[in-house]
Amino acid sequence: MKDKANHQLNDGLKYDRQHIWHPYSSLVNPLPCYSVEKAEGVYITLESGEKLVDGMASWWCAIHGYNHPVLNQAINDQLQQMSHVMFGGLTHQPAIQLAEQLIRITPESLQTVFFCDSGSVAVEVAIKMAMQYWQAKGDKTKTKLLTIKNGYHGDTFAAMSVCDPVNGMHHLFSSLLPKHFFVESPNCQNNQQWCLQDMQAMTATLEQHHHEIAAIILEPIVQGAGGMRIYAPDYLAHARKLCDQYDVLLIADEIATGFGRTGQLFACEHANICPDIMCLGKAMTGGYLSMAATLATEKIGRIISTADPGVFMHGPTFMGNPLACAVSLASIQLLLDSSWQQNIIKLEQQMIESLMPCQNHSKVKDVRVLGAIGVIELNDDVDVASLQQKFVKMGVWIRPFRNLIYIMPPYIIKPEQLKKLTDAMLASL
Ligand SMILES: *Cc1c(COP(=O)(O)O)cnc(C)c1O
């Protein structure tokens, strides 16, 4: 029996290597891939038998852990009603209730919701909204975006055009990508005195080019996949002021930071600001289904809707999918009903205590912790495949990239499980 199962696993992995693309993968030289049998709570169980403590929450998503009875129930209940209907001309309670909930918990002036099927699409929609807004106002010159380096906003074309130009591989697609304005990313650490000189590049670019700039797009407080960088709330607050001063919209991409990850429900709250447009995704469904949303102010909604062509030009096939709406609603409710904020402070405290001491290690460039995010930045890039294998042997699932070993575990993780993750991070040095 065991032999047969092993055989099947190996055949499966071989087929996978030859036929299936993974994120940023090669079909000729694929890195090893581990086959998962099941996932429950903070554990991912591999088909080969190892039970791993999950440090990634499946890329920021599974905030309540896996196979959660409340979320399972929400999907099951919705399944009995309907799994999907088109959103053109039809609506339903899960979408209405989710929109109400999102509008209630996000910064006050965000009053409209566009449901998308992934984070990248939420960014596309945000950019389209900004463009249509200025066109509707009769301003034909505001067609560019301004963003900060080291950002990540997704893999579709408009989103890619505002990702970090180096990490984002702009040279591969340069003939297709629109050229936007990039300024240096802020150097200020979240907990350090903020430095006004970080703002100078943005101020100068706006001063010179504001008549061409439709919006600033950035990840508030934490830049995720572009480098796991953390910056001062004052930088964000100042960016908001500049947007008002120069009549430019502010798009906050909260796809990674939203739903408590940084210690506030949304990272914009660290700076007490309200963006004009906000993108949500990732943790929205608690990691169950692909679902995202783009929220905007009443004014943006009204202006787009009253000028030619009088409609917002976007409409995905699976828009407002009822299963995804129902599980999002349940996930957000579960979060709000929990003592998530105290919980995240505890995780933050534990990560500060366990990770900060390695700041003086010869291989370590920097250590950063905010909310339920812990990052060790090394001087050199890691060998992902061999490090991954070591982590699996140590019983943890941590996936480093470039020179970054980082964790963002499910919020339900217990102190001894988190210790296993941080111990593994330290051991890997
Ligand atoms: C992951 C991410 C995206 C893209 O979301 P997908 O669901 O992968 O398309 C966009 N912006 C940020 C900040 C992200 O972290």
Side-chain angles (χ1 to χ4, degrees):
M1 271 315 272
K2 186 105 193 290
D3 265 6
K4 194 175 164 212
N6 261 338
H7 201 70
Q8 200 174 23
L9 171 59
N10 287 331
D11 282 354
L13 287 174
K14 188 172 165 217
Y15 191 88
D16 188 298
R17 275 196 296 277
Q18 287 171 349
H19 298 280
I20 307 179
W21 295 109
H22 285 263
Y24 307 96
S25 73
S26 159
L27 287 180
V28 174
N29 248 328
L31 296 182
C33 226
Y34 301 86
S35 186
V36 178
E37 185 194 341
K38 60 180 180 186
E40 169 119 30
V42 293
Y43 290 104
I44 292 175
T45 305
L46 301 183
E47 276 198 282
S48 47
E50 293 92 340
K51 194 172 166 189
L52 311 176
V53 177
D54 175 30
M56 308 308 295
S58 284
W59 278 337
W60 320 75
C61 299
I63 54 175
H64 308 294
Y66 302 95
N67 204 4
H68 196 289
V70 172
L71 303 186
N72 290 1
Q73 188 67 45
I75 288 215
N76 273 325
D77 290 349
Q78 183 54 43
L79 197 55
Q80 309 308 314
Q81 298 294 316
M82 64 181 153
S83 55
H84 186 65
V85 289
M86 63 188 277
F87 214 49
L90 296 174
T91 192
H92 43 76
Q93 280 303 319
I96 294 167
Q97 287 172 22
L98 178 59
E100 275 176 354
Q101 180 71 289
L102 292 174
I103 286 170
R104 188 161 48 234
I105 64 176
T106 50
E108 205 185 328
S109 41
L110 300 172
Q111 292 292 322
T112 64
V113 182
F114 190 102
F115 290 117
C116 308
D117 27 26
S118 75
S120 300
V121 172
V123 170
E124 298 285 328
V125 164
I127 292 171
K128 260 189 177 177
M129 275 184 184
M131 298 299 164
Q132 246 193 274
Y133 172 80
W134 291 112
Q135 289 212 3
K137 282 179 66 112
D139 194 327
K140 301 266 185 286
T141 60
K142 279 175 163 309
T143 58
K144 300 248 179 241
L145 299 165
L146 168 59
T147 189
I148 52 185
K149 288 184 186 170
N150 293 105
Y152 177 78
H153 297 285
D155 290 349
T156 51
F157 272 91
M160 199 164 47
S161 72
V162 284
C163 288
D164 187 272
V166 179
N167 309 329
M169 298 288 157
H170 282 209
H171 63 277
L172 280 176
F173 306 103
S174 59
S175 59
L176 282 166
L177 286 178
K179 301 267 181 296
H180 296 303
F181 295 103
F182 285 84
V183 297
E184 288 304 319
S185 43
N187 271 313
C188 38
Q189 284 277 298
N190 182 52
N191 52 358
Q192 280 170 4
Q193 266 273 317
W194 104 285
C195 18
L196 204 64
Q197 73 242 33
D198 275 342
M199 209 76 236
Q200 267 166 8
M202 186 179 278
T203 310
T205 306
L206 281 170
E207 215 162 63
Q208 225 189 325
H209 298 285
H210 63 91
H211 54 279
E212 301 167 64
I213 297 174
I216 291 180
I217 180 167
L218 44 72
E219 297 154 277
I221 309 298
V222 179
Q223 296 186 288
M228 302 300 296
R229 295 165 55 96
I230 301 169
Y231 64 87
D234 280 337
Y235 183 92
L236 182 60
H238 210 82
R240 171 72 273 185
K241 278 199 202 118
L242 288 174
C243 285
D244 293 337
Q245 189 182 335
Y246 288 104
D247 210 11
V248 161
L249 298 175
L250 179 63
I251 303 173
D253 180 351
E254 292 250 13
I255 291 167
T257 49
F259 303 105
R261 181 57 67 180
T262 67
Q264 298 288 343
L265 200 50
F266 299 99
C268 283
E269 293 170 31
H270 288 282
N272 238 320
I273 60 129
C274 183
D276 302 291
I277 300 176
M278 182 189 262
C279 302
L280 298 175
K282 291 205 161 97
M284 198 162 112
T285 64
Y288 269 60
L289 287 166
S290 182
M291 170 81 156
T294 306
L295 283 84
T297 59
E298 179 276 334
K299 183 179 174 192
I300 291 176
R302 176 167 40 82
I303 290 193
I304 288 175
S305 306
T306 44
D308 186 55
V311 294
F312 180 60
M313 296 298 268
H314 207 90
T317 306
F318 280 94
M319 189 171 184
N321 174 257
L323 287 175
C325 288
V327 76
S328 292
L329 203 53
S331 173
I332 295 168
Q333 204 53 56
L334 195 59
L335 182 68
L336 299 178
D337 290 346
S338 71
S339 43
W340 64 271
Q341 203 158 23
Q342 284 145 281
N343 201 359
I344 285 175
I345 289 171
K346 280 190 207 140
L347 300 181
E348 180 179 71
Q349 228 30 61
Q350 189 181 336
M351 283 193 281
I352 288 172
E353 277 160 31
S354 53
L355 296 180
M356 282 304 174
C358 83
Q359 216 152 15
N360 298 322
H361 191 285
S362 61
K363 287 188 182 169
V364 174
K365 187 168 169 197
D366 190 25
V367 180
R368 307 188 270 274
V369 174
L370 180 70
I373 307 165
V375 186
I376 299 178
E377 181 177 0
L378 303 174
N379 291 314
D380 301 308
D381 285 4
V382 300
D383 177 344
V384 175
S386 76
L387 192 50
Q388 188 97 87
Q389 191 180 27
K390 279 185 201 145
F391 281 136
V392 169
K393 281 204 182 110
M394 289 189 258
V396 298
W397 181 246
I398 298 173
R399 186 164 171 82
F401 73 97
R402 300 207 311 265
N403 61 338
L404 297 159
I405 302 173
Y406 69 102
I407 51 173
M408 46 214 190
Y411 303 164
I412 56 152
I413 194 164
K414 299 217 167 64
E416 63 273 18
Q417 296 163 333
L418 183 56
K419 181 172 184 305
K420 202 163 173 180
L421 292 175
T422 53
D423 282 351
M425 289 169 84
L426 297 173
S428 74
L429 301 174

